[in-house]
Amino acid sequence: MTGSLRPGMVGPSVLVGGLELSNPIMMAPMAGVTLPAVRRMFWRLGAGLAHTEMVSCAGLTRKNRKTTEMLFRAPGEGPLVLQLFAGDSDTLMRGAEIALSLGVPFDALGINMACPMPKVLKKGAGARLLSRLDLAVDMVRCLGRLGLPVWPKIRKIVPDGSGPDTLEFASALVEAGAANVGVHGRTASQRYEGTSDFDEVCRVARALPGVISASGDISGPEDVSKALSGGCVSVFLARGGVTDPFVLPRILSHLGYNIGDPVYDDPPSIETRAALFSDLAEDLSNFHGERVAMVLLKRLMSGVFRGVPGCSSYRRAIASASDWGTMCVHIRDWRHFFERGIKDE
């Protein structure tokens, strides 16, 4: 693909969490996925905002090199939320202050109160905060002193008689100063199994107009329309974007947006897909090194070439590549694998 990273988008801008965005479709924070190179791919596809991976404040305070490297922002990125996690307010604040002191520009500060994984829960962070409303509220208030919009992300909460439900929890965060609250429609115990409860997310959104973003099972235009018509101000695209990156331009086209770019062709041509994949490979190698590039290219290529004849043989070739040189040859010679599936013009 050629030209600027983000061509001019045609469509109404939206105000989300104190930020003016080109559209309401945002890339959710995903561990091991929302690296700068991958975020750049989704900027090309039209994302209105992106999140960093979940960054450990404890790691920042310990000056952990890998944690600090997660703060890197690539040239040309659009609005970006720094997603932080910590088990107490002091660590959260110290980590956030360190991050901001390094001079990397972020547009908002996210607090992860949704991650259900044991390694995060055992630190008192992520979804563990859903049972500690006072602490969650204090985190929002403390982070608000740094002058950037605060964006906590939570999950559906089933009341047990002793604590708040989803709406009560989200309301307390908004009252404490949260500019936007992402609500994932699964409970922490569900992790990523089962289905997301859209009705619960929209119940909260209707009660708190203008501040709720929907997360969980956003996989197509219908899901987005349901969330937005249900009162949500925006949506977080996560696994749905990984399994089919071109769902993003399809969603935006459905909403009436257009950036005048070939990625908006439906379906996109094989040339468009190959160019996007090549750009991704270059960015991954340049920003993150060949080892990380190989891992993520193998993970993402099925989505980029989803539904294209010849994808199976190409996937096997990419998956079997054991060195960067071989990987680059396959990326350069993609036509060899797809020539039977390319229709004559």
Side-chain angles (χ1 to χ4, degrees):
M1 301 178 72
T2 60
S4 63
L5 183 61
R6 285 297 303 276
M9 177 172 288
V10 178
S13 61
V14 294
L15 185 63
V16 180
L19 305 176
E20 185 174 0
L21 308 179
S22 61
N23 67 75
I25 313 303
M26 308 185 296
M27 290 310 301
M30 290 178 280
V33 175
T34 47
L35 283 70
V38 181
R39 298 196 302 257
R40 278 170 61 95
M41 180 181 78
F42 282 104
W43 290 122
R44 291 185 174 104
L45 292 169
L49 175 144
H51 290 76
T52 67
E53 295 181 88
M54 193 169 60
V55 177
S56 167
C57 287
L60 291 175
T61 63
R62 294 194 300 266
K63 299 182 180 180
N64 181 279
R65 179 180 59 82
K66 289 186 177 180
T67 304
T68 304
E69 288 175 352
M70 294 170 72
L71 302 176
F72 172 68
R73 181 170 183 164
E77 289 202 58
L80 183 62
V81 178
L82 172 59
Q83 176 89 171
L84 300 167
F85 78 96
D88 63 87
S89 298
D90 180 62
T91 302
L92 178 70
M93 282 294 290
R94 287 191 291 131
E97 288 169 345
I98 290 170
L100 296 180
S101 72
L102 298 178
V104 181
F106 295 103
D107 298 277
L109 298 174
I111 309 174
N112 189 291
M113 302 181 182
C115 181
M117 305 312 293
K119 65 180 182 180
V120 174
L121 298 179
K122 71 179 182 180
K123 297 176 182 178
R128 186 70 72 204
L129 294 169
L130 298 179
S131 61
R132 305 183 66 187
L133 178 57
D134 289 347
L135 175 55
V137 165
D138 187 59
M139 286 181 162
V140 171
R141 287 175 177 160
C142 288
L143 216 55
R145 298 170 192 157
L146 298 180
L148 292 176
V150 179
W151 288 34
K153 186 171 185 286
I154 69 173
R155 279 178 172 254
K156 172 184 174 181
I157 305 171
V158 178
D160 58 6
S162 61
D165 66 3
T166 320
L167 175 56
E168 292 166 334
F169 198 97
S171 297
L173 298 182
V174 172
E175 185 176 347
N180 180 267
V181 180
V183 181
H184 187 113
R186 290 182 177 84
T187 63
S189 61
Q190 283 183 275
R191 294 192 182 182
Y192 301 100
E193 302 298 325
T195 57
S196 180
D197 187 345
F198 263 49
D199 291 337
E200 176 71 351
V201 175
C202 291
R203 180 180 78 92
V204 177
R206 286 190 295 269
L208 299 170
V211 295
I212 301 300
S213 296
S215 177
D217 291 352
I218 304 295
S219 59
E222 297 78 13
D223 302 323
V224 174
S225 293
K226 183 176 180 180
L228 296 180
S229 64
C232 298
V233 69
S234 63
V235 299
F236 287 7
L237 185 64
R239 289 183 293 174
V242 172
T243 57
D244 182 9
F246 289 98
V247 73
L248 178 49
R250 289 202 305 274
I251 289 170
L252 291 172
S253 180
H254 177 77
L255 295 178
Y257 292 87
N258 197 309
I259 58 174
D261 189 278
V263 297
Y264 272 73
D265 294 343
D266 190 14
S269 69
I270 184 67
E271 288 83 4
T272 294
R273 296 173 189 267
L276 189 78
F277 195 59
S278 177
D279 285 348
L280 174 63
E282 182 178 359
D283 281 351
L284 283 168
S285 175
N286 289 341
F287 298 148
H288 311 294
E290 296 174 1
R291 184 183 64 82
V292 172
M294 291 184 67
V295 170
L296 278 172
L297 288 171
K298 292 178 180 182
R299 180 174 180 179
L300 296 171
M301 72 83 54
S302 293
V304 174
F305 293 97
R306 182 184 177 97
V308 178
C311 182
S312 295
S313 60
Y314 194 41
R315 183 171 58 246
R316 287 193 295 270
I318 293 293
S320 65
S322 58
D323 60 84
W324 184 239
T326 302
M327 179 76 79
C328 289
V329 169
H330 291 330
I331 293 171
R332 185 187 66 235
D333 297 338
W334 61 270
R335 289 182 183 274
H336 171 74
F337 299 92
F338 291 102
E339 55 189 6
R340 293 184 179 180
I342 299 176
K343 296 180 180 180
D344 294 334
E345 297 293 330

